[in-house]
Amino acid sequence: MASALQKRVRGWMAFDWATQPFYTLGLTFIFGPYFATVAAEFFLTGGMTERAADAQAQSLWSMGQMLAGLFIAFTAPVLGAYADSTGRRLPWLIAFSAVFVIFTSLLWFMVPDGSAAIFCLVAFSIAFVAAEYALVFTNAILPSLGDHDEIGRISGDGAAIGYWGGVVALLVFLPFFYEFSEGKTLLGLSPAFGLLDGMAREGTRAVGPFIAAWFMVFMIPYWMYVREDNTPNRQGGMRAAMRDLKQSLAGVFHRRSLLNFLVSSMLYRDALNSLYAFGGVYAALVLDWRLMQIAVFGIIGAVAAAISTSVAGRADKKFGPRPVIHFCIITLMVVCVIIVGMTREQVLGIPLSPGSPVPDVLFYICGSIIGGAGGGIYSASRSMMVRHTHPERPTEAFGLFALSGKATAFLAPGLIAFFTWWFGDARLGFTPVIGLFLAGFVLLRWVDPDGDRVKWSSSSIPAP
C-alpha cells in the first residue's frame, strides 16, 4: 500500500492534470482562436475592414492577457506573503478553485454574434488570474514533498502528468465537441452526440463548462490527500505580511544566485511563452497552415512535452536543474534559428522545389522540440526555485517566481511586433526571441547549481 507521503505526492500531481486543459483548450487551441474569430466578425459587421477587424480582435485578446498577467505579477507576491504570515494556504486554494470553476463556466455565453465578447474576455481573464494564483499556492507545497534530490523528479513527473492531461482533454474535445464545419465535429457528428446545437457553436462554447467539470473531477485526489500541518494561524495579518515581503525583496538583492535566477527565468520564460503564443500565428502567416494542421501541431507538441518533462525530471535528479535548463535553452535557440531561417521556398538558404513538404515536416519537428524543451524548462525552473526557497515562506517565494514570469510579459510580444514592423516580415520578427533566450542563458552562469537556501538559512540575510 502507498504511504501517506506517496498519496500526498500523487494528490499534488493531480493539480497539473486538472488545470492543464484551461491552458491547452482555453488559452491556446479552442477558446482563444474562437474568441478572436467571433470578435473579428463582430468588428467586421460593424463597418471595419477585414484587416482592421482582425487587428482589433487580436489587440483585444492580447490586452486581456496583458492586464491579467500584470495583475498577477504585482499581487501574487503580496498574496503569498500574507498566506505565509498567517500559516494557511489550502483555504486560499479552495477559494481560488471556486472562482476558477465559476468563471470558466461563464465562457459558455460566448455566442457567435460577438455580443458577449467583452463579458467573456473579463470572465476568462478572472479565471486565468485564479488559475495562476492557485498554481502559486500549489507550487509552495512542492518543497515539503521530498528531499533535495527528489524534488526535481517530483516536479518533472507532475508537469508531465499535466501535459498528458492537456493531450487527453484535447483528444476528447476535438472529435466530440468542436465544430470543424457545418456544425459537425471531426467525426461528422453533432456536438456531444447531438445534445448541443452545432450551428449555434454550442460545442465550442461548451469548452468553458468542460474545463470546469474536468477540474472538479480530477482535483478530488488533491483534496483527499494534500494536507497542511496543523499549525495555528500566525498573528500579524497584512501589516506583518508586508513587512516580511519588504524584507524578502530587500534580501533578494543580497543574494546573487537568486537574483540572477529570477532575472534569467524572466527572460527565457518570456521567450518561451512567445513561442507558445505565436507559434500557431507564425504557421498560419508564414506556412499558410489551416486549423487542422495547427491542431495536430499542438497535439504533437503536448505529447512531446509530456514525455520529455518526465525525462527532464530524472535528469534533474541526477545532474540538478541548472544543466537541464541550459540544455533546453540551447535546444530552443537552435529551433528558433531554424524557424527564422525557413520559408516555403527555402530552409537556411537552401532552395526547395515548389510544393515541397520539407517546411511542414520541419515545423512539426520544431513543434515537438519546443513542447519537449519547454516542458523541461518549466519543471527544472520550478525545482531550481525550491533550491532558493525559505522553508517557512514558500508561498511568498513562488509569488516572486510568478512575478518574474509575468512582470515582463509584454517584452517578447512587444519586441516581436517591433521587429516585424521594422523588417516588414513576420518570419524575421521572431529574431529577438533568440536574444532573450541567449540573455537568460548567460545569466544562469551566476546561479548556484545547488541554490542558496542552505547558505542563507544560517545567516542573517532576509530571504523569501
Side-chain angles (χ1 to χ4, degrees):
M1 294 180 63
S3 67
L5 179 59
Q6 288 175 323
K7 291 180 179 179
R8 190 165 181 257
V9 169
R10 292 171 187 172
W12 179 84
M13 290 179 180
F15 178 87
D16 281 323
W17 176 282
T19 54
Q20 185 59 38
F22 176 75
Y23 301 97
T24 304
L25 301 181
L27 186 63
T28 306
F29 294 113
I30 303 297
F31 184 77
Y34 172 65
F35 176 90
T37 301
V38 169
E41 184 65 26
F42 177 79
F43 293 130
L44 187 63
T45 56
M48 288 187 178
T49 64
E50 182 176 355
R51 182 176 181 179
D54 289 344
Q56 183 71 7
Q58 180 167 304
S59 296
L60 189 62
W61 179 251
S62 299
M63 182 64 69
Q65 299 308 301
M66 183 187 74
L67 292 177
L70 290 175
F71 184 81
I72 293 164
F74 294 105
T75 56
V78 176
L79 187 62
Y82 182 75
D84 286 334
S85 294
T86 59
R88 287 290 179 262
R89 301 181 187 96
L90 280 182
W92 290 96
L93 183 58
I94 293 171
F96 288 121
S97 295
V99 172
F100 176 79
V101 168
I102 292 169
F103 282 90
T104 51
S105 299
L106 293 178
L107 301 182
W108 166 262
F109 295 102
M110 186 63 187
V111 290
D113 65 10
S115 57
I118 299 298
F119 171 82
C120 289
L121 179 63
V122 172
F124 185 88
S125 298
I126 293 174
F128 183 77
V129 170
E132 291 292 309
Y133 277 164
L135 179 63
V136 169
F137 287 99
T138 296
N139 282 341
I141 296 173
L142 176 60
S144 67
L145 298 180
D147 58 26
H148 182 276
D149 295 326
E150 286 294 318
I151 290 298
R153 180 191 61 80
I154 294 171
S155 177
D157 286 349
I161 287 173
Y163 285 119
W164 281 120
V167 171
V168 173
L170 194 60
L171 291 176
V172 171
F173 198 85
L174 284 177
F176 297 113
F177 289 89
Y178 185 76
E179 304 93 352
F180 274 85
S181 63
E182 299 180 355
K184 301 296 182 181
T185 68
L186 183 64
L187 300 179
L189 305 172
S190 295
F193 301 100
L195 297 176
L196 300 177
D197 183 358
M199 298 307 294
R201 300 302 302 270
E202 289 185 350
T204 301
R205 290 159 51 195
V207 68
F210 180 91
I211 291 169
W214 181 285
F215 179 84
M216 288 189 292
V217 170
F218 292 111
M219 276 293 283
I220 291 174
Y222 192 100
W223 305 130
M224 288 177 61
Y225 299 123
V226 178
R227 295 286 185 271
E228 286 187 305
D229 295 332
N230 293 321
T231 55
N233 284 351
R234 300 167 190 160
Q235 302 299 315
M238 183 57 73
R239 179 175 297 179
M242 295 306 297
R243 181 192 65 240
D244 292 340
L245 178 60
K246 183 178 178 180
Q247 290 177 345
S248 295
L249 289 172
V252 167
F253 292 96
H254 294 283
R255 296 170 57 190
R256 188 180 73 164
S257 180
L258 174 61
L259 179 61
N260 279 282
F261 173 63
L262 289 176
V263 177
S264 171
S265 69
M266 179 175 67
L267 296 174
Y268 67 67
R269 285 194 289 165
D270 197 25
L272 179 61
N273 289 336
S274 71
L275 287 181
Y276 289 150
F278 290 93
V281 175
Y282 181 93
L285 294 176
V286 178
L287 301 180
D288 300 319
W289 276 16
R290 297 294 178 259
L291 177 62
M292 189 61 194
Q293 291 172 292
I294 295 175
V296 173
F297 175 80
I299 293 172
I300 290 174
V303 170
I307 296 172
S308 67
T309 303
S310 183
V311 174
R314 280 149 181 77
D316 185 328
K317 179 180 178 180
K318 184 173 183 179
F319 303 109
R322 196 178 74 166
V324 175
I325 299 172
H326 271 148
F327 177 79
C328 291
I329 291 178
I330 292 172
T331 302
L332 288 168
M333 284 194 291
V334 172
V335 167
C336 287
V337 170
I338 294 173
I339 289 175
V340 170
M342 179 175 62
T343 67
R344 272 288 174 199
E345 294 74 32
Q346 58 85 31
V347 175
L348 298 177
I350 302 173
L352 302 172
S353 59
S356 172
V358 171
D360 299 314
V361 173
L362 195 55
F363 200 67
Y364 278 127
I365 294 172
C366 288
S368 66
I369 295 174
I370 290 171
I377 277 186
Y378 170 72
S379 168
S381 296
R382 188 162 62 176
S383 173
M384 178 59 80
M385 190 64 212
V386 169
R387 298 185 179 213
H388 290 85
T389 297
H390 193 294
E392 294 184 359
R393 308 201 65 78
T395 320
E396 179 185 297
F398 276 99
L400 293 175
F401 189 58
L403 169 62
S404 73
K406 301 293 182 183
T408 58
F410 59 89
L411 183 60
L415 288 173
I416 290 172
F418 175 78
F419 275 73
T420 301
W421 168 80
W422 181 266
F423 289 114
D425 189 309
R427 176 174 58 89
L428 296 178
F430 262 72
T431 305
V433 174
I434 302 172
L436 291 175
F437 276 128
L438 181 61
F441 181 88
V442 171
L443 285 172
L444 283 173
R445 176 182 179 184
W446 293 282
V447 175
D448 190 325
D450 294 320
D452 62 3
R453 62 179 178 179
V454 174
K455 296 176 182 177
W456 55 251
S457 62
S458 59
S459 71
S460 60
I461 298 175

